[in-house]
Amino acid sequence: MISPSRAEAALRKVLPRYGIPSTAHLELVKYRENHVFRVDAGQGSSYAARPHRLGYRTAGQLSTEAAYLMELAERGLSVPRLIRTLDGQLNCTVEIEDGNTVVIDLQHWIPEASPMGDISEALAGSDALGGKDFQELGKELAKLHLASMAIGIPAGFDRGTWDHEGLAGAAPLWGDPAKLPCLDAEQRAKIGRAMLSLHGRLGKLSRNEAVFGVIHADLTPENVLVSAAGPVLIDFDDFGTGWHLFDLATVLFFYSAHPRLAEYRQGLEAGYLAERADVPAGFFDAWDDLLLGRGLTYLGWAAERHGDEEADFIERMVVPVVMDLVEAHLAGATPAVLGGGK
């Protein structure tokens, strides 16, 4: 990861490629794994600029993301719209002083929008969301999946797969959850058994295009912006292929212990079915397995980043939630509020 000051310097170098002065006003609005800057180019024009983190994605993977995101925007999906450089590119690269190359893209700024929620509030059950909020999000997710089914897998598509291997295989996409340092021997053993079982169960799921295809794969509360026009799905940094239901499970994961979880799930499903009424029979049957798979990814992510502030948060707040799901899985029980479904 590069520092905010170096990310800003890299961004100023590429702004003229977009016809924007390098002296434009910049504001750092997010500093996590990617930096996000607001660029005010004058005359009411504002953009979101993303210098991508070093070493996480190849140039080919970032090109896949940019091209797919543009295709979704062209089809009217509520996603960020990329700005092309003066020579027509969807992103550009710049070398920084240590010899590393940073990839940067520019998107239209979404006015008067704010995140749908906050992970801490979701876990604490202190958010002010209602079922209608999830219903609106469910509609956007259905539109996303319908669009991805229509687009298919383009030639040269280069992204990860959130399947039984990516979630519970020998080399999960986000790392091995059992390697999280805060876990004790018993917890590691239980996670190992749960992953072995989950790998087998997910491996039996259908991969028909009606249930499996291109997905967002990281729809946390912060990655949904609420605007006057409705929800906007942002941050496709981890998009790839997987079960459509995995996107819904990701939306609800941080609300797993929330007192209104049943209401949230009902709203999410109702919204989804309002836009996509012809989902196959059994579409929602793997709720509990994919919820567990989602939770395990966060432990794997934290294990790869031990000592990071976000990793510490996961150790404190997310591990107990995941271990409850692990225990339920090993006991053959479905969390009560997640049982049943279409």
Side-chain angles (χ1 to χ4, degrees):
M1 180 182 291
I2 60 176
S3 67
S5 60
R6 293 171 72 197
E8 179 178 335
L11 175 56
R12 290 195 182 280
K13 285 184 179 181
V14 304
L15 285 178
R17 301 185 202 178
Y18 291 93
I20 300 173
S22 60
T23 55
H25 177 74
L26 303 182
E27 177 188 357
L28 180 64
V29 295
K30 179 181 176 183
Y31 176 36
R32 199 174 290 175
E33 292 206 311
N34 287 335
H35 299 78
V36 178
F37 290 87
R38 176 169 177 162
V39 180
D40 289 315
Q43 298 181 332
S45 297
S46 295
Y47 307 98
R50 297 191 307 161
H52 290 267
R53 65 186 116 160
L54 296 176
Y56 187 61
R57 296 290 178 209
T58 66
Q61 289 170 335
L62 291 174
S63 293
T64 292
E65 177 184 341
Y68 207 91
L69 193 58
M70 182 62 85
E71 177 67 23
L72 291 174
E74 292 292 338
R75 289 172 178 263
L77 272 291
S78 294
V79 299
R81 180 176 287 272
L82 293 172
I83 307 299
R84 292 186 183 272
T85 61
L86 295 178
D87 60 357
Q89 302 303 307
L90 289 175
N91 58 36
C92 54
T93 60
V94 59
E95 187 173 302
I96 56 179
E97 63 271 16
D98 62 3
N100 280 304
T101 298
V102 178
V103 179
I104 297 175
D105 64 46
L106 205 66
Q107 307 170 356
H108 284 287
W109 184 261
I110 301 169
E112 299 181 5
S114 58
M116 176 178 173
D118 173 84
I119 288 174
S120 296
E121 292 180 356
L123 289 168
S126 59
D127 62 280
L129 298 173
K132 186 176 180 180
D133 298 296
F134 289 88
Q135 186 172 347
E136 293 302 311
L137 179 53
K139 292 179 181 179
E140 293 305 320
L141 268 177
K143 293 175 185 177
L144 172 66
H145 296 158
L146 288 170
S148 73
M149 291 165 64
I151 297 168
I153 308 295
F157 188 89
D158 184 9
R159 299 298 287 200
T161 301
W162 298 92
D163 61 359
H164 62 304
E165 296 292 349
L167 294 173
L173 287 179
W174 275 4
D176 184 354
K179 291 183 177 179
L180 190 61
C182 71
L183 300 173
D184 60 34
E186 183 180 5
Q187 288 173 318
R188 294 179 201 278
K190 288 180 178 179
I191 286 175
R193 295 200 303 273
M195 287 187 69
L196 183 62
S197 169
L198 187 63
H199 183 271
R201 290 170 63 92
L202 294 179
K204 296 176 182 178
L205 293 182
S206 170
R207 293 173 69 130
N208 181 281
E209 65 177 10
V211 298
F212 190 100
V214 176
I215 59 174
H216 183 286
D218 193 25
L219 278 174
T220 62
E222 287 91 347
N223 286 340
V224 179
L225 294 184
V226 178
S227 70
V232 181
L233 313 182
I234 66 168
D235 194 351
F236 280 69
D237 208 30
D238 291 291
F239 100 108
T241 54
W243 289 284
H244 298 159
L245 186 60
F246 186 64
D247 269 344
L248 280 74
T250 298
V251 168
L252 288 187
F253 172 77
F254 290 105
Y255 302 92
S256 296
H258 197 287
R260 298 176 69 180
L261 175 59
E263 176 189 354
Y264 291 172
R265 177 189 168 179
Q266 289 167 6
L268 191 65
E269 288 188 3
Y272 195 88
L273 292 172
E275 293 290 334
R276 191 183 171 195
D278 61 345
V279 297
F283 182 87
F284 296 108
D285 286 355
W287 258 116
D288 54 327
D289 287 338
L290 290 176
L291 197 71
L292 172 59
R294 175 79 277 178
L296 290 169
T297 68
Y298 294 122
L299 272 56
W301 185 94
E304 297 281 317
R305 297 162 177 79
H306 182 59
D308 179 271
E309 182 179 349
E310 294 295 325
D312 291 343
F313 173 84
I314 288 172
E315 291 189 4
R316 295 193 316 272
M317 303 299 295
V318 180
V319 167
V321 176
V322 176
M323 291 311 302
D324 284 346
L325 294 174
V326 166
E327 295 280 3
H329 181 87
L330 293 176
T334 300
V337 293
L338 292 181
K342 186 178 177 74

PDB file of all heavy atoms in Angstrom, residues 217-238:
ATOM      1  N   ALA A 217     -19.721  -9.518  -5.451  1.00  0.00           N
ATOM      2  CA  ALA A 217     -18.922 -10.279  -4.484  1.00  0.00           C
ATOM      3  C   ALA A 217     -18.418  -9.497  -3.279  1.00  0.00           C
ATOM      4  O   ALA A 217     -17.687 -10.056  -2.451  1.00  0.00           O
ATOM      5  CB  ALA A 217     -17.738 -10.973  -5.182  1.00  0.00           C
ATOM      6  N   ASP A 218     -18.788  -8.223  -3.118  1.00  0.00           N
ATOM      7  CA  ASP A 218     -18.312  -7.484  -1.938  1.00  0.00           C
ATOM      8  C   ASP A 218     -19.296  -6.395  -1.531  1.00  0.00           C
ATOM      9  O   ASP A 218     -18.887  -5.281  -1.198  1.00  0.00           O
ATOM     10  CB  ASP A 218     -16.934  -6.888  -2.224  1.00  0.00           C
ATOM     11  CG  ASP A 218     -16.238  -6.372  -0.964  1.00  0.00           C
ATOM     12  OD1 ASP A 218     -16.555  -6.865   0.144  1.00  0.00           O
ATOM     13  OD2 ASP A 218     -15.377  -5.476  -1.083  1.00  0.00           O
ATOM     14  N   LEU A 219     -20.588  -6.722  -1.529  1.00  0.00           N
ATOM     15  CA  LEU A 219     -21.594  -5.702  -1.225  1.00  0.00           C
ATOM     16  C   LEU A 219     -21.793  -5.529   0.279  1.00  0.00           C
ATOM     17  O   LEU A 219     -22.827  -5.880   0.840  1.00  0.00           O
ATOM     18  CB  LEU A 219     -22.914  -6.040  -1.922  1.00  0.00           C
ATOM     19  CG  LEU A 219     -22.973  -5.615  -3.380  1.00  0.00           C
ATOM     20  CD1 LEU A 219     -24.248  -6.117  -4.027  1.00  0.00           C
ATOM     21  CD2 LEU A 219     -22.872  -4.100  -3.516  1.00  0.00           C
ATOM     22  N   THR A 220     -20.764  -4.976   0.919  1.00  0.00           N
ATOM     23  CA  THR A 220     -20.884  -4.585   2.320  1.00  0.00           C
ATOM     24  C   THR A 220     -21.722  -3.306   2.399  1.00  0.00           C
ATOM     25  O   THR A 220     -21.961  -2.658   1.368  1.00  0.00           O
ATOM     26  CB  THR A 220     -19.487  -4.321   2.912  1.00  0.00           C
ATOM     27  OG1 THR A 220     -18.885  -3.221   2.196  1.00  0.00           O
ATOM     28  CG2 THR A 220     -18.602  -5.562   2.789  1.00  0.00           C
ATOM     29  N   PRO A 221     -22.179  -2.915   3.591  1.00  0.00           N
ATOM     30  CA  PRO A 221     -22.997  -1.694   3.691  1.00  0.00           C
ATOM     31  C   PRO A 221     -22.312  -0.460   3.127  1.00  0.00           C
ATOM     32  O   PRO A 221     -22.972   0.432   2.597  1.00  0.00           O
ATOM     33  CB  PRO A 221     -23.237  -1.560   5.202  1.00  0.00           C
ATOM     34  CG  PRO A 221     -23.070  -2.937   5.748  1.00  0.00           C
ATOM     35  CD  PRO A 221     -22.040  -3.595   4.896  1.00  0.00           C
ATOM     36  N   GLU A 222     -20.971  -0.403   3.219  1.00  0.00           N
ATOM     37  CA  GLU A 222     -20.240   0.757   2.711  1.00  0.00           C
ATOM     38  C   GLU A 222     -20.140   0.775   1.193  1.00  0.00           C
ATOM     39  O   GLU A 222     -19.835   1.816   0.603  1.00  0.00           O
ATOM     40  CB  GLU A 222     -18.825   0.802   3.311  1.00  0.00           C
ATOM     41  CG  GLU A 222     -18.772   1.198   4.771  1.00  0.00           C
ATOM     42  CD  GLU A 222     -18.844   0.001   5.703  1.00  0.00           C
ATOM     43  OE1 GLU A 222     -19.185  -1.091   5.220  1.00  0.00           O
ATOM     44  OE2 GLU A 222     -18.561   0.175   6.906  1.00  0.00           O
ATOM     45  N   ASN A 223     -20.366  -0.371   0.558  1.00  0.00           N
ATOM     46  CA  ASN A 223     -20.240  -0.446  -0.896  1.00  0.00           C
ATOM     47  C   ASN A 223     -21.570  -0.275  -1.620  1.00  0.00           C
ATOM     48  O   ASN A 223     -21.678  -0.584  -2.808  1.00  0.00           O
ATOM     49  CB  ASN A 223     -19.580  -1.764  -1.303  1.00  0.00           C
ATOM     50  CG  ASN A 223     -18.100  -1.758  -1.011  1.00  0.00           C
ATOM     51  OD1 ASN A 223     -17.484  -0.699  -0.847  1.00  0.00           O
ATOM     52  ND2 ASN A 223     -17.498  -2.935  -0.934  1.00  0.00           N
ATOM     53  N   VAL A 224     -22.547   0.210  -0.881  1.00  0.00           N
ATOM     54  CA  VAL A 224     -23.834   0.604  -1.472  1.00  0.00           C
ATOM     55  C   VAL A 224     -24.062   2.067  -1.112  1.00  0.00           C
ATOM     56  O   VAL A 224     -24.143   2.407   0.066  1.00  0.00           O
ATOM     57  CB  VAL A 224     -25.000  -0.249  -0.946  1.00  0.00           C
ATOM     58  CG1 VAL A 224     -26.313   0.204  -1.575  1.00  0.00           C
ATOM     59  CG2 VAL A 224     -24.760  -1.729  -1.194  1.00  0.00           C
ATOM     60  N   LEU A 225     -24.111   2.920  -2.110  1.00  0.00           N
ATOM     61  CA  LEU A 225     -24.397   4.326  -1.862  1.00  0.00           C
ATOM     62  C   LEU A 225     -25.879   4.581  -2.090  1.00  0.00           C
ATOM     63  O   LEU A 225     -26.452   4.110  -3.069  1.00  0.00           O
ATOM     64  CB  LEU A 225     -23.583   5.225  -2.791  1.00  0.00           C
ATOM     65  CG  LEU A 225     -22.068   5.220  -2.608  1.00  0.00           C
ATOM     66  CD1 LEU A 225     -21.430   6.248  -3.547  1.00  0.00           C
ATOM     67  CD2 LEU A 225     -21.677   5.515  -1.166  1.00  0.00           C
ATOM     68  N   VAL A 226     -26.482   5.326  -1.189  1.00  0.00           N
ATOM     69  CA  VAL A 226     -27.897   5.675  -1.324  1.00  0.00           C
ATOM     70  C   VAL A 226     -27.965   7.098  -1.864  1.00  0.00           C
ATOM     71  O   VAL A 226     -27.460   8.042  -1.251  1.00  0.00           O
ATOM     72  CB  VAL A 226     -28.620   5.581   0.029  1.00  0.00           C
ATOM     73  CG1 VAL A 226     -30.089   5.988  -0.133  1.00  0.00           C
ATOM     74  CG2 VAL A 226     -28.522   4.162   0.576  1.00  0.00           C
ATOM     75  N   SER A 227     -28.566   7.236  -3.037  1.00  0.00           N
ATOM     76  CA  SER A 227     -28.701   8.543  -3.681  1.00  0.00           C
ATOM     77  C   SER A 227     -30.178   8.848  -3.882  1.00  0.00           C
ATOM     78  O   SER A 227     -31.045   8.011  -3.605  1.00  0.00           O
ATOM     79  CB  SER A 227     -27.981   8.537  -5.031  1.00  0.00           C
ATOM     80  OG  SER A 227     -28.684   7.721  -5.961  1.00  0.00           O
ATOM     81  N   ALA A 228     -30.450  10.028  -4.393  1.00  0.00           N
ATOM     82  CA  ALA A 228     -31.843  10.407  -4.650  1.00  0.00           C
ATOM     83  C   ALA A 228     -32.494   9.471  -5.652  1.00  0.00           C
ATOM     84  O   ALA A 228     -33.706   9.259  -5.621  1.00  0.00           O
ATOM     85  CB  ALA A 228     -31.894  11.847  -5.154  1.00  0.00           C
ATOM     86  N   ALA A 229     -31.677   8.873  -6.523  1.00  0.00           N
ATOM     87  CA  ALA A 229     -32.212   7.972  -7.552  1.00  0.00           C
ATOM     88  C   ALA A 229     -32.290   6.529  -7.078  1.00  0.00           C
ATOM     89  O   ALA A 229     -32.759   5.658  -7.812  1.00  0.00           O
ATOM     90  CB  ALA A 229     -31.353   8.054  -8.810  1.00  0.00           C
ATOM     91  N   GLY A 230     -31.833   6.258  -5.843  1.00  0.00           N
ATOM     92  CA  GLY A 230     -31.858   4.894  -5.322  1.00  0.00           C
ATOM     93  C   GLY A 230     -30.460   4.373  -5.035  1.00  0.00           C
ATOM     94  O   GLY A 230     -29.485   5.123  -5.093  1.00  0.00           O
ATOM     95  N   PRO A 231     -30.325   3.081  -4.729  1.00  0.00           N
ATOM     96  CA  PRO A 231     -29.019   2.516  -4.398  1.00  0.00           C
ATOM     97  C   PRO A 231     -28.082   2.489  -5.605  1.00  0.00           C
ATOM     98  O   PRO A 231     -28.512   2.246  -6.733  1.00  0.00           O
ATOM     99  CB  PRO A 231     -29.343   1.084  -3.940  1.00  0.00           C
ATOM    100  CG  PRO A 231     -30.824   1.051  -3.718  1.00  0.00           C
ATOM    101  CD  PRO A 231     -31.401   2.080  -4.630  1.00  0.00           C
ATOM    102  N   VAL A 232     -26.803   2.744  -5.336  1.00  0.00           N
ATOM    103  CA  VAL A 232     -25.766   2.653  -6.355  1.00  0.00           C
ATOM    104  C   VAL A 232     -24.723   1.645  -5.860  1.00  0.00           C
ATOM    105  O   VAL A 232     -24.233   1.748  -4.735  1.00  0.00           O
ATOM    106  CB  VAL A 232     -25.094   4.019  -6.608  1.00  0.00           C
ATOM    107  CG1 VAL A 232     -24.034   3.893  -7.702  1.00  0.00           C
ATOM    108  CG2 VAL A 232     -26.128   5.077  -6.975  1.00  0.00           C
ATOM    109  N   LEU A 233     -24.401   0.672  -6.680  1.00  0.00           N
ATOM    110  CA  LEU A 233     -23.447  -0.370  -6.303  1.00  0.00           C
ATOM    111  C   LEU A 233     -22.046   0.077  -6.703  1.00  0.00           C
ATOM    112  O   LEU A 233     -21.771   0.309  -7.886  1.00  0.00           O
ATOM    113  CB  LEU A 233     -23.794  -1.692  -7.001  1.00  0.00           C
ATOM    114  CG  LEU A 233     -25.269  -2.121  -6.948  1.00  0.00           C
ATOM    115  CD1 LEU A 233     -25.448  -3.474  -7.642  1.00  0.00           C
ATOM    116  CD2 LEU A 233     -25.764  -2.185  -5.510  1.00  0.00           C
ATOM    117  N   ILE A 234     -21.150   0.210  -5.721  1.00  0.00           N
ATOM    118  CA  ILE A 234     -19.808   0.711  -6.011  1.00  0.00           C
ATOM    119  C   ILE A 234     -18.755  -0.325  -5.614  1.00  0.00           C
ATOM    120  O   ILE A 234     -19.076  -1.365  -5.051  1.00  0.00           O
ATOM    121  CB  ILE A 234     -19.537   2.043  -5.271  1.00  0.00           C
ATOM    122  CG1 ILE A 234     -19.512   1.823  -3.740  1.00  0.00           C
ATOM    123  CG2 ILE A 234     -20.568   3.098  -5.654  1.00  0.00           C
ATOM    124  CD1 ILE A 234     -18.977   3.016  -2.970  1.00  0.00           C
ATOM    125  N   ASP A 235     -17.505  -0.016  -5.898  1.00  0.00           N
ATOM    126  CA  ASP A 235     -16.333  -0.800  -5.504  1.00  0.00           C
ATOM    127  C   ASP A 235     -16.406  -2.241  -6.019  1.00  0.00           C
ATOM    128  O   ASP A 235     -16.681  -3.180  -5.275  1.00  0.00           O
ATOM    129  CB  ASP A 235     -16.149  -0.788  -3.991  1.00  0.00           C
ATOM    130  CG  ASP A 235     -14.771  -1.291  -3.573  1.00  0.00           C
ATOM    131  OD1 ASP A 235     -14.036  -1.795  -4.454  1.00  0.00           O
ATOM    132  OD2 ASP A 235     -14.431  -1.191  -2.384  1.00  0.00           O
ATOM    133  N   PHE A 236     -16.121  -2.390  -7.305  1.00  0.00           N
ATOM    134  CA  PHE A 236     -16.099  -3.709  -7.938  1.00  0.00           C
ATOM    135  C   PHE A 236     -14.711  -4.346  -7.869  1.00  0.00           C
ATOM    136  O   PHE A 236     -14.357  -5.176  -8.692  1.00  0.00           O
ATOM    137  CB  PHE A 236     -16.567  -3.590  -9.389  1.00  0.00           C
ATOM    138  CG  PHE A 236     -18.062  -3.518  -9.546  1.00  0.00           C
ATOM    139  CD1 PHE A 236     -18.770  -2.400  -9.121  1.00  0.00           C
ATOM    140  CD2 PHE A 236     -18.781  -4.569 -10.104  1.00  0.00           C
ATOM    141  CE1 PHE A 236     -20.150  -2.328  -9.261  1.00  0.00           C
ATOM    142  CE2 PHE A 236     -20.160  -4.508 -10.248  1.00  0.00           C
ATOM    143  CZ  PHE A 236     -20.852  -3.388  -9.825  1.00  0.00           C
ATOM    144  N   ASP A 237     -13.947  -3.964  -6.865  1.00  0.00           N
ATOM    145  CA  ASP A 237     -12.569  -4.417  -6.718  1.00  0.00           C
ATOM    146  C   ASP A 237     -12.450  -5.937  -6.650  1.00  0.00           C
ATOM    147  O   ASP A 237     -11.445  -6.509  -7.065  1.00  0.00           O
ATOM    148  CB  ASP A 237     -11.979  -3.796  -5.443  1.00  0.00           C
ATOM    149  CG  ASP A 237     -10.477  -3.625  -5.524  1.00  0.00           C
ATOM    150  OD1 ASP A 237      -9.961  -3.434  -6.638  1.00  0.00           O
ATOM    151  OD2 ASP A 237      -9.821  -3.678  -4.480  1.00  0.00           O
ATOM    152  N   ASP A 238     -13.458  -6.607  -6.099  1.00  0.00           N
ATOM    153  CA  ASP A 238     -13.392  -8.058  -5.920  1.00  0.00           C
ATOM    154  C   ASP A 238     -14.425  -8.803  -6.750  1.00  0.00           C
ATOM    155  O   ASP A 238     -14.704  -9.973  -6.493  1.00  0.00           O
ATOM    156  CB  ASP A 238     -13.548  -8.406  -4.435  1.00  0.00           C
ATOM    157  CG  ASP A 238     -12.342  -7.967  -3.627  1.00  0.00           C
ATOM    158  OD1 ASP A 238     -11.268  -8.562  -3.819  1.00  0.00           O
ATOM    159  OD2 ASP A 238     -12.455  -7.008  -2.845  1.00  0.00           O
TER     160      ASP A 238
END
